[in-house]
Amino acid sequence: DQQVKQNSPSLSVQEGRISILNCDYTNSMFDYFLWYKKYPAEGPTFLISISSIKDKNEDGRFTVFLNKSAKHLSLHIVPSQPGDSAVYFCAAISTTQGAQKLVFGQGTRLTINP
Amino acid sequence: EAGVAQSPRYKIIEKRQSVAFWCNPISGHATLYWYQQILGQGPKLLIQFQNNGVVDDSQLPKDRFSAERLKGVDSTLKIQPAKLEDSAVYLCASSPGTSGTRQETQYFGPGTRLLVL
């Protein structure tokens, strides 16, 4: 039962162009969404988040868009840089009895080509 | 500020053996999480502690996995006996655990890569 899905295992983008990573979810109880970035041999690091009461959140080169009706969110990176090459995980929070339970997607490996 | 520390970084064992992983969270963080990340998948929560109490262990295979956080600081995750399908990266994360804050950023350690042969 995959509640958070990232259907693209990999994405290759040219340096300077826009990278768009997509994520779909099935659980309507999710009300907070996050993107994590992971380099090899390191743990995931928090990148950007969005609450379900918003449809857009921007932080520098990173923007997350949320479409609640479609249960879809996306991460835009503009312009893409070589250091952005990593695995990106979409995650969602479902609060059950006060516990903050983070549910992750499978990840998308982003490669930025010079 | 020191991050989340985990050891060992790598471990190779044979099936049916036992193994233990250690995690030291960021100083002052009340909430500690253990995740299992199988190759090609996202991290899956195994257990969550708030101080030394268990908040959620619904996805922990309790017949073989156990975890403790006796003094509310560092934590140990044990597998006994290990199976081939336990091969994964085990990630520890922590968050401040401030009362009333639901959406806290979780800070992850580098993980322990386990290979069961």
Side-chain angles (χ1 to χ4, degrees):
Chain A
D1 179 23
Q2 190 71 28
Q3 297 185 67
V4 178
K5 298 180 183 180
Q6 295 176 255
N7 292 318
S8 298
S10 63
L11 176 67
S12 186
V13 175
Q14 195 167 7
E15 182 179 359
R17 307 293 286 266
I18 183 172
S19 296
I20 300 176
L21 296 96
N22 293 303
C23 177
D24 297 294
Y25 62 96
T26 58
N27 189 340
S28 58
M29 296 301 291
F30 288 144
D31 58 1
Y32 198 74
F33 303 88
L34 308 90
W35 284 93
Y36 276 81
K37 176 179 180 179
K38 185 181 184 303
Y39 291 119
E42 295 183 12
T45 56
F46 170 74
L47 189 58
I48 192 169
S49 63
I50 188 167
S51 166
S52 59
I53 62 173
K54 295 184 177 181
D55 55 16
K56 178 183 175 181
N57 187 28
E58 191 172 353
D59 183 4
R61 296 185 298 113
F62 303 91
T63 303
V64 56
F65 295 92
L66 175 63
N67 183 334
K68 281 188 64 179
S69 60
K71 293 190 176 66
H72 177 83
L73 64 157
S74 60
L75 174 68
H76 292 210
I77 307 173
V78 182
S80 300
Q81 299 175 354
D84 297 330
S85 295
V87 177
Y88 289 78
F89 290 100
C90 169
I93 288 179
S94 168
T95 301
T96 305
Q97 297 178 344
Q100 178 185 257
K101 188 167 185 174
L102 206 56
V103 180
F104 284 87
Q106 310 96 307
T108 296
R109 181 178 301 278
L110 175 65
T111 302
I112 306 301
N113 302 308
Chain B
E1 180 184 80
V4 177
Q6 289 189 249
S7 68
R9 293 296 309 274
Y10 304 92
K11 190 75 177 178
I12 301 175
I13 62 172
E14 294 187 350
K15 61 182 178 183
R16 291 187 288 274
Q17 285 188 321
S18 302
V19 65
F21 312 125
W22 175 81
C23 172
N24 191 24
I26 292 173
S27 178
H29 279 193
T31 309
L32 185 146
Y33 313 79
W34 282 103
Y35 289 85
Q36 179 192 58
Q37 185 183 5
I38 293 172
L39 186 65
Q41 299 180 20
K44 183 185 82 171
L45 180 68
L46 293 175
I47 189 167
Q48 176 183 344
F49 292 94
Q50 180 76 16
N51 296 310
N52 60 351
V54 175
V55 174
D56 184 350
D57 63 356
S58 57
Q59 297 190 101
L60 187 74
K62 298 180 186 63
D63 57 333
R64 297 184 301 106
F65 286 64
S66 65
E68 59 184 15
R69 194 185 183 199
L70 293 176
K71 296 182 180 179
V73 181
D74 55 353
S75 175
T76 303
L77 176 69
K78 296 179 181 178
I79 308 175
Q80 181 179 8
K83 293 185 175 181
L84 297 177
E85 58 261 36
D86 298 332
S87 294
V89 175
Y90 291 85
L91 293 161
C92 179
S94 70
S95 65
T98 306
S99 176
T101 301
R102 293 194 303 127
Q103 298 98 2
E104 289 188 333
T105 297
Q106 295 184 22
Y107 297 86
F108 285 82
T112 296
R113 185 176 297 275
L114 173 67
L115 180 60
V116 182
L117 301 175

